[in-house]
């Protein structure tokens, strides 16, 4: 059996080696390392793929979120509602900009922000909602966009984990995750569904004015050379990373399909096993692009299962072991434990299995066999 890994970047690279190597060598030849033609070409190709008017590449997914918030002109004291169960980057940038993070609970089935909890958290100071499309599945954007319209709030989608997934609205229309709110961010961290070979990120929007503002912010607040109109940052996707992303973007749908196929096989083997809840996906399969395949283990057995997997040489991830409202940096007396029953349970129950584009049947049966063997003993 091939060695088990959480993410098999090498296996994926081998299949596109010639294309990637040629693209990278071309950049080296031109020496256009910053803002070279590869960056502009990638931007256009991603705009087309997502069907959004503007993609603004930047240095990473955390910057992308921060810049999106700066672009919207959010001011210290403005309240921004986001999920308690997400990677820290989401809340970190809210705090860095001296906005007030308002963490709310998530749904037990999708792990995504709970629209009812959003409604309860809205105050006159609320300015934005940041849904995170966690583990590759879009949040309930029908409900979230409706709440935002009603209360005149911005929606900033954190799409770091769900690039390529489709959201099917109740009215029958479909949009790509990241093309729904006023603005969205993504990460091209190597293990992401569309990952480069270093750090990278991007901001998406259909709003021409916002796109113009953001293009200046990523470049030191310059709209005209050496005229600094607003306080900006230096956040660029470099040409080498753009070359890698251009080589990989045409494969994104195939990559996501491979993840969905692996997920189907995991689910077929694990569904119905007592003590396991397999991932829930609403409607058609393309809504979930399985950045992670995350199951829930009942009866306090998660950590013992994790130890068993380690013994069997199976890597796993606990995303996330501590709710954000209990992280030292984000603790606040506003938060009451009773407001986070779902997150507090999820941190005890979730475990993510190896998930990538190169998983084969033998590996999947070994993993699922090891899990069922443990739970049935
Ligand atoms: C939900 C979420 N938001 C933001 C980020 C930040 O992305 P980056 O690591 O590129 O800064 C990540 C990356 O792990 C993420 O998972």
């Amino acid at each position: 059996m091939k060695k088990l890994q959480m993410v098999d970047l090498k296996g994926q690279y081998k299949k596109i080696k010639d294309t990637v190597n040629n693209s990278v060598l071309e950049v080296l030849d031109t020496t256009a390392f910053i803002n070279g033609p590869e960056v502009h070409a990638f931007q256009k190709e991603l705009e087309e793929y997502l069907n959004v008017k503007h993609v603004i590449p930047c240095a990473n997914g955390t910057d992308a979120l921060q810049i999106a918030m700066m672009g919207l002109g959010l001011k210290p004291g403005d309240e921004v509602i986001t999920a308690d169960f997400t990677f820290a980057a989401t809340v970190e940038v809210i705090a860095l900009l001296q906005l007030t993070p308002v963490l709310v609970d998530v749904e037990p089935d999708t792990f995504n922000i709970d629209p009812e909890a959003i409604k309860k958290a809205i105050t006159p100071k609320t300015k934005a909602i940041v849904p995170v499309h966690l583990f590759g599945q879009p949040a309930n954007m029908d409900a979230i966009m409706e709440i935002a319209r009603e209360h005149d709030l911005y929606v900033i989608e954190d799409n770091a984990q769900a690039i390529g997934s489709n959201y099917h609205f109740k009215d029958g229309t479909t949009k790509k995750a990241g093309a729904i709110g006023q603005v969205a961010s993504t990460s091209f961290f190597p293990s992401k569904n569309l990952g480069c070979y270093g750090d990278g990120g991007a901001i998406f929007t259909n709003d021409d004015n916002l796109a113009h503002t953001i293009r200046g912010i990523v470049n030191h607040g310059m709209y005209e050379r050496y005229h600094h109109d607003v306080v900006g940052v230096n956040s660029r996707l470099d040409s080498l990373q753009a070359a890698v992303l251009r080589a990989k973007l045409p494969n994104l749908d195939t990559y996501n399909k491979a993840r969905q196929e692996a997920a189907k096989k995991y689910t077929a083997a694990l569904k119905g096993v007592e003590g396991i809840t397999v991932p829930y996906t609403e409607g058609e399969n393309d809504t979930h692009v399985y950045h992670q395949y995350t199951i829930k283990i009942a009866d306090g057995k998660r950590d013992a299962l994790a130890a068993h997997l380690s013994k069997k040489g199976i890597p796993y991830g606990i995303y996330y072991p501590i709710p954000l409202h209990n992280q030292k940096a984000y603790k606040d007396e506003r938060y009451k434990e009773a407001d986070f029953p779902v997150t507090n349970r999820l941190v005890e129950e979730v475990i993510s299995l190896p998930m990538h584009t190169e998983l084969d049947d033998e590996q999947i049966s070994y993993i699922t066999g090891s899990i069922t063997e443990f739970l049935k003993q």
Side-chain angles (χ1 to χ4, degrees):
M1 186 173 66
K2 280 193 301 182
K3 186 175 180 291
L4 289 167
Q5 300 176 77
M6 259 329 255
V7 181
D8 183 0
L9 289 178
K10 203 172 256 181
Q12 191 189 62
Y13 169 61
K14 273 189 193 154
K15 295 180 178 163
I16 51 169
K17 189 170 178 170
D18 288 344
T19 318
V20 172
N21 287 8
N22 288 338
S23 312
V24 166
L25 287 174
E26 246 171 68
V27 175
L28 295 183
D29 249 357
T30 62
T31 67
F33 298 125
I34 300 290
N35 280 334
E38 291 295 318
V39 178
H40 300 284
F42 172 64
Q43 173 194 319
K44 290 275 164 255
E45 287 157 7
L46 191 57
E47 283 167 356
E48 208 166 292
Y49 174 83
L50 292 168
N51 197 18
V52 289
K53 278 173 89 177
H54 306 281
V55 165
I56 301 118
C58 65
N60 57 64
T62 310
D63 276 8
L65 267 174
Q66 177 181 329
I67 293 159
M69 290 175 198
M70 290 168 77
L72 290 171
L74 299 181
K75 297 274 179 304
D78 287 350
E79 292 179 3
V80 179
I81 299 174
T82 193
D84 190 36
F85 191 63
T86 174
F87 182 56
T90 322
V91 68
E92 176 179 272
V93 298
I94 299 172
L96 266 176
L97 293 173
Q98 294 181 295
L99 312 174
T100 305
V102 179
L103 297 169
V104 302
D105 212 3
V106 296
E107 296 178 323
D109 47 2
T110 64
F111 312 125
N112 279 323
I113 194 164
D114 179 352
E116 291 307 314
I118 296 176
K119 281 187 203 163
K120 283 192 205 137
I122 292 172
T123 75
K125 288 186 179 168
T126 309
K127 288 287 172 339
I129 307 168
V130 185
V132 183
H133 304 315
L134 204 71
F135 302 151
Q137 179 159 234
N140 181 347
M141 295 307 286
D142 271 295
I144 292 166
M145 294 309 288
E146 177 72 39
I147 296 169
R149 265 191 298 274
E150 224 172 88
H151 296 271
D152 198 18
L153 306 175
Y154 296 122
V155 173
I156 306 162
E157 295 173 78
D158 182 343
N159 198 30
Q161 301 189 4
I163 196 155
S165 73
N166 293 308
Y167 184 82
H168 304 295
F169 285 90
K170 291 204 175 82
D171 68 5
T173 55
T174 293
K175 282 185 183 173
K176 288 274 183 221
I180 301 168
Q182 275 75 35
V183 62
S185 62
T186 202
S187 163
F188 301 124
F189 187 80
S191 62
K192 295 289 193 263
N193 291 35
L194 179 63
C196 57
Y197 294 166
D199 272 312
I203 303 140
F204 321 141
T205 183
N206 283 312
D207 180 326
D208 297 340
N209 291 330
L210 182 59
H212 173 75
T213 305
I214 286 174
R215 284 206 179 91
I217 292 174
V218 297
N219 189 24
H220 301 289
M222 274 196 286
Y223 297 91
E224 200 183 318
R225 207 163 165 76
Y226 298 119
H227 291 251
H228 303 274
D229 294 355
V230 295
V231 176
V233 293
N234 171 19
S235 187
R236 297 182 283 237
L237 179 74
D238 68 62
S239 306
L240 287 169
Q241 299 308 337
V244 172
L245 289 164
R246 285 194 76 198
K248 290 181 77 173
L249 180 59
N251 301 321
L252 178 57
D253 285 343
T254 315
Y255 289 161
N256 283 341
K257 265 253 149 356
R259 288 172 179 273
Q260 289 167 339
E261 285 306 312
K264 244 188 232 164
K265 289 172 190 164
Y266 271 138
T267 294
L270 297 176
K271 199 174 176 172
V273 175
E274 209 180 315
I276 300 184
T277 308
V278 295
Y280 169 88
T281 179
E282 195 167 342
E284 294 172 41
N285 200 26
D286 59 356
T287 58
H288 201 325
V289 292
Y290 296 97
H291 176 57
Q292 300 294 344
Y293 184 89
T294 303
I295 55 177
K296 290 188 281 187
I297 304 296
D299 307 322
K301 289 187 181 162
R302 193 268 314 271
D303 292 343
L305 170 66
H308 175 76
L309 294 183
S310 286
K311 250 190 257 154
K312 297 284 231 168
I314 301 170
Y316 62 85
I318 308 287
Y319 310 120
Y320 298 94
I322 303 171
L324 286 175
H325 78 270
N326 277 334
Q327 294 282 2
K328 245 195 212 167
Y330 305 112
K331 266 183 183 281
D332 195 294
E333 61 192 20
R334 288 175 290 134
Y335 300 134
K336 308 276 172 279
E337 287 308 318
D339 293 332
F340 305 99
V342 178
T343 303
N344 284 340
R345 199 165 64 242
L346 289 178
V347 296
E348 309 271 323
E349 292 187 347
V350 290
I351 184 163
S352 302
L353 305 181
M355 175 48 77
H356 51 80
T357 57
E358 312 303 312
L359 274 172
D360 64 29
D361 289 357
E362 190 186 7
Q363 292 176 309
I364 292 174
S365 338
Y366 178 75
I367 295 166
T368 55
S370 303
I371 294 170
T372 48
E373 156 196 292
F374 172 80
L375 287 173
K376 282 178 178 165
Q377 74 193 357

